[in-house]
Amino acid sequence: MQSYPPIFASFHQSLSTLLETPYGDKSDDLASIIVRRVEHFLHNHEQQDFDAWSEQDIFLITYGDSLNDGEKKPLNVLNKFIKSQLGQLISTVHILPYFPFSSDDGFSVIDYLQVNPALGSWEDIRAISEDYRVMTDLVINHVSRESLWFADFVSGTQPGRDYFIEEEPATDLSMVTRPRNSPLLVPTQTRRGTRHVWATFSEDQIDLNFKNPDVLIKMVDIVLFYLAQGTSVVRLDAIAFLWKRLNTSCVHLPETHTIVKLMRLIVEKARPGALLITETNVPDPENFSYFSQGNEAHMVYQFALPPLILHALNRGTEKYLAHWARALPEYPQGCTTLNFTASHDGIGLRPLEGLVPNSEVSELVDSMHRFGGFVSMRTLQDQSEKPYEINISLFDAMKGTRRGEDHWQAQRFLCSQIIMLGMKGIPAIYIHSLLATPNDLAGVERSGRTRSINRRKWDIGDLFTELDNPVSMQSMIFKTLKTIIGIRQKESCFHPDTPQQIINFAPGIFAFPRIEPKADKSLTAIHNLTATHMDINAGKYQGCFDLLSGNTFTSEHLKPYQSLWLVSG
């Protein structure tokens, strides 16, 4: 067995122990390969520690080309906009896949090691990382069928020849959990004849075979390369589907959890303070399983939050949102959630399973259809279909309630953002929420994909015209959210780790204190989820200071969709 300095000996042992689960007697050799990779990384890159998270942490989610000016590269335009318009109001920029791709707006990667030249270069990524943490997607489950790896598979040459999963069409795959209703096996013409390859998401996104340890080492190399280019948050895309075993669901398998643990060890060793986040759009117990004992993901997405907030504001009830929030588990030390209300994807409905009655989910879907949205379906084991995701701009999702459109869109939308900004965890705001972008139906028509409804590419000149117009929705929402974020960043009760309690206030009111036990300090967030004035018994809060209005609270009622952040004294 190879001898290592003390700084790497325990690292090697931890890796080797982990790798026994998926790779058996190859584990020690694989651990040695990874140690050498990390050793080389540390030798060639200056150490850079990152601060732990705080109340000042706000993530911005954006595509590299969400903003364009027709001249400069979009990543350059994005960087200038963030620095000039947001400054330190955000701490981290999640730039959605910025690599050459063939479909799915970046999530079908052709080359993991190149920046899409239409967006910019690695120099642009590093420039953004000088002022902000950069979150990069590791699209780990699958690769574009236009990649060189898949070309190797087709031609029967190495290394890609053994990078993919082949199954016979007659194989019983009925137990496999599916996020899409496309065929799971895709026929492919190769030099060896027709082969059927595993494709969880689409015929252009071919799943990688992690039973081949060479695939694992390739992904380790890619992670280290991203860290070298300025990444400090690694997002494991679609990680739940990574490992496949026949006669199982092929989701959340023990080998998958092992590889997440492995990636955490590598990230922490190479870049102390760097973070790992898992993307698993599934019900809460499955989602939180990626915390494990505090040795897997540092963060998981709070996937139940977007549909629950939307449902609460659509029906004017706190019932299910409060019930869910009250049952949230304690997170392991060093772990937290990424709270969001919208993203590049639609609003997932799977997290509502077991939380909200199917009839109310159907009514919510009907409302979103009336507000210009779409719904995607997934195929169940019995081959029936079920709503999987609502595709709509969050701003337009707030056009009204289940009773129809009304004139409270802006107030309702701001209420959704204030709830998210106040809850335990780290907030993440999608750029199109920050800009109150409406449904992009023209984008849907151009692309033929319903998800394009929430992926507008703004011309920067058109955007500034709206932001400079004091009566435009874009201007009003953008300025108001910036003010609210600035208030939040100054209040220590909003530290991601500060506990929250859900309290019964009144029907239609969602309220929760954030309590700092050591500082003997608390803040109570109160939100009216309805379009009516709500009388409240707020005697204990009389004389408290409302951070949002900047006034002492003296009222006995809340305006429609009004929110309060009340602190004592």
Side-chain angles (χ1 to χ4, degrees):
M1 181 180 294
Q2 184 171 347
S3 176
Y4 293 99
I7 188 174
F8 288 111
S10 62
F11 180 53
H12 177 273
Q13 182 58 51
S14 297
L15 293 175
S16 183
T17 301
L18 273 178
L19 289 164
E20 286 178 5
T21 298
Y23 298 109
D25 58 9
K26 298 177 182 178
S27 63
D28 196 69
D29 289 341
L30 286 173
S32 296
I33 292 170
I34 294 171
V35 169
R36 288 196 295 271
R37 298 294 209 273
V38 175
E39 266 189 302
H40 183 266
F41 178 93
L42 291 172
H43 179 74
N44 288 279
H45 297 92
E46 183 180 347
Q47 278 295 303
Q48 181 181 1
D49 292 345
F50 297 95
D51 294 334
W53 49 62
S54 75
E55 61 274 11
Q56 297 187 22
D57 277 297
I58 306 282
F59 282 46
L60 177 71
I61 306 168
T62 180
Y63 276 103
D65 59 353
S66 291
L67 306 175
N68 299 270
D69 71 356
E71 297 179 2
K72 295 183 287 295
K73 293 294 187 180
L75 285 170
N76 181 266
V77 176
L78 176 67
N79 192 17
K80 288 184 176 179
F81 179 85
I82 294 171
K83 286 199 287 190
S84 66
Q85 299 299 313
L86 295 172
Q88 296 308 303
L89 291 176
I90 64 166
S91 61
T92 304
V93 186
H94 174 201
I95 310 172
L96 290 151
Y98 45 81
F99 318 106
F101 70 98
S102 56
S103 66
D104 199 16
D105 283 348
F107 285 92
S108 185
V109 177
I110 294 174
D111 188 341
Y112 290 94
L113 302 181
Q114 298 295 324
V115 173
N116 183 349
L119 299 179
S121 66
W122 285 115
E123 183 179 355
D124 294 307
I125 298 296
R126 291 191 295 269
I128 295 172
S129 74
E130 290 174 3
D131 298 286
Y132 305 97
R133 298 184 72 144
V134 170
M135 182 156 93
T136 296
D137 286 276
L138 179 66
V139 185
I140 192 170
N141 179 72
H142 50 261
V143 69
S144 167
R145 69 183 302 136
E146 295 183 18
S147 68
L148 290 178
W149 292 351
F150 198 68
D152 286 347
F153 174 80
V154 171
S155 64
T157 57
Q158 298 295 349
R161 163 65 179 81
D162 300 314
Y163 278 15
F164 302 93
I165 303 166
E166 299 181 38
E167 290 293 345
E168 292 299 322
T171 305
D172 182 5
L173 301 173
S174 60
M175 292 182 65
V176 177
T177 296
R178 298 302 318 283
R180 300 286 186 273
N181 54 10
S182 56
L184 180 58
L185 297 181
V186 175
T188 302
Q189 300 304 317
T190 77
R191 285 189 178 179
R192 297 167 291 123
T194 301
R195 293 290 188 268
H196 292 80
V197 293
W198 198 295
T200 298
F201 290 91
S202 80
E203 64 179 12
D204 185 51
Q205 295 165 296
I206 313 301
D207 288 38
L208 291 162
N209 180 17
F210 276 84
K211 290 180 182 177
N212 179 352
D214 291 346
V215 173
L216 175 70
I217 297 302
K218 282 287 186 184
M219 284 297 165
V220 170
D221 288 340
I222 291 166
V223 167
L224 293 173
F225 179 78
Y226 291 168
L227 295 176
Q229 301 304 317
T231 292
S232 56
V233 185
V234 177
R235 178 184 183 268
L236 298 180
D237 176 69
I239 185 65
F241 301 93
L242 180 134
W243 200 272
K244 282 78 174 176
R245 191 187 315 125
L246 295 181
N247 301 315
T248 73
S249 65
C250 296
V251 63
H252 314 310
L253 295 184
E255 294 87 349
T256 294
H257 283 281
T258 294
I259 288 175
V260 177
K261 293 173 184 175
L262 178 82
M263 290 297 181
R264 175 163 176 161
L265 282 176
I266 293 167
V267 165
E268 289 184 335
K269 192 70 171 179
R271 276 282 185 259
L275 303 173
L276 194 70
I277 181 168
T278 49
E279 187 260 338
T280 52
N281 190 357
V282 291
D284 274 355
E286 301 167 53
N287 188 30
F288 290 132
S289 72
Y290 287 87
F291 282 148
S292 192
Q293 303 301 310
N295 58 350
E296 286 193 42
H298 296 94
M299 292 187 287
V300 301
Y301 282 83
Q302 197 69 281
F303 274 111
L305 191 59
L308 281 168
I309 287 181
L310 180 60
H311 173 270
L313 290 165
N314 186 263
R315 294 187 74 90
T317 177
E318 84 296 347
K319 179 179 177 182
Y320 302 109
L321 176 61
H323 176 76
W324 163 80
R326 190 175 288 112
L328 286 173
E330 289 294 321
Y331 310 142
Q333 186 175 0
C335 296
T336 193
T337 56
L338 195 68
N339 297 334
F340 70 111
T341 53
S343 72
H344 62 291
D345 286 339
I347 299 169
L349 295 174
R350 277 212 68 200
L352 296 186
E353 294 172 8
L355 293 175
V356 176
N358 289 336
S359 60
E360 294 192 17
V361 174
S362 295
E363 288 184 3
L364 179 63
V365 168
D366 290 342
S367 283
M368 297 304 105
H369 279 306
R370 291 199 301 273
F371 301 156
F374 303 93
V375 63
S376 357
M377 311 294 287
R378 70 183 182 99
T379 302
L380 305 180
Q381 287 187 8
D382 62 3
Q383 300 307 303
S384 63
E385 292 190 339
K386 187 174 183 178
Y388 174 73
E389 180 182 85
I390 295 168
N391 300 122
I392 194 169
S393 143
L394 184 65
F395 187 66
D396 276 359
M398 299 294 171
K399 279 185 174 180
T401 68
R402 64 190 178 112
R403 294 181 174 83
E405 293 189 29
D406 56 29
H407 61 281
W408 295 107
Q409 181 180 13
Q411 292 86 344
R412 187 179 293 114
F413 174 78
L414 287 170
C415 182
S416 75
Q417 300 309 288
I418 294 169
I419 293 172
M420 181 268 292
L421 287 165
M423 295 190 73
K424 179 181 178 180
I426 297 175
I429 301 180
Y430 187 37
I431 193 166
H432 292 304
S433 295
L434 192 65
L435 300 174
T437 305
N439 289 334
D440 185 10
L441 297 176
V444 174
E445 187 174 349
R446 284 193 303 271
S447 70
R449 299 188 303 272
T450 56
R451 279 182 169 177
S452 297
I453 198 169
N454 196 29
R455 298 177 179 180
R456 178 174 176 174
K457 301 179 191 304
W458 274 100
D459 175 86
I460 197 72
D462 292 342
L463 176 59
F464 277 121
T465 297
E466 296 298 333
L467 294 181
D468 291 339
N469 178 359
V471 298
S472 77
M473 281 295 184
Q474 282 68 44
S475 176
M476 190 273 285
I477 296 295
F478 186 57
K479 291 176 181 175
T480 303
L481 284 177
K482 285 172 62 175
T483 298
I484 294 169
I485 291 169
I487 293 169
R488 183 194 189 278
Q489 289 181 319
K490 296 175 183 176
E491 176 48 61
S492 61
C493 285
F494 288 126
H495 189 286
D497 299 336
T498 300
Q500 71 183 16
Q501 297 176 357
I502 307 302
I503 56 177
N504 294 321
F505 209 91
I509 302 292
F510 181 54
F512 54 88
R514 299 289 304 277
I515 302 171
E516 285 189 85
K518 293 181 180 178
D520 193 25
K521 184 180 181 184
S522 68
L523 176 149
T524 302
I526 303 173
H527 314 84
N528 182 0
L529 304 177
T530 75
T532 61
H533 286 76
M534 297 286 286
D535 291 329
I536 58 174
N537 181 13
K540 66 180 290 188
Y541 300 109
Q542 294 291 339
C544 288
F545 186 74
D546 176 24
L547 296 178
L548 290 172
S549 67
N551 298 317
T552 300
F553 182 65
T554 58
S555 180
E556 288 291 340
H557 71 269
L558 292 177
K559 298 174 184 176
Y561 304 107
Q562 182 181 358
S563 297
L564 305 170
W565 283 347
L566 300 178
V567 292
S568 301

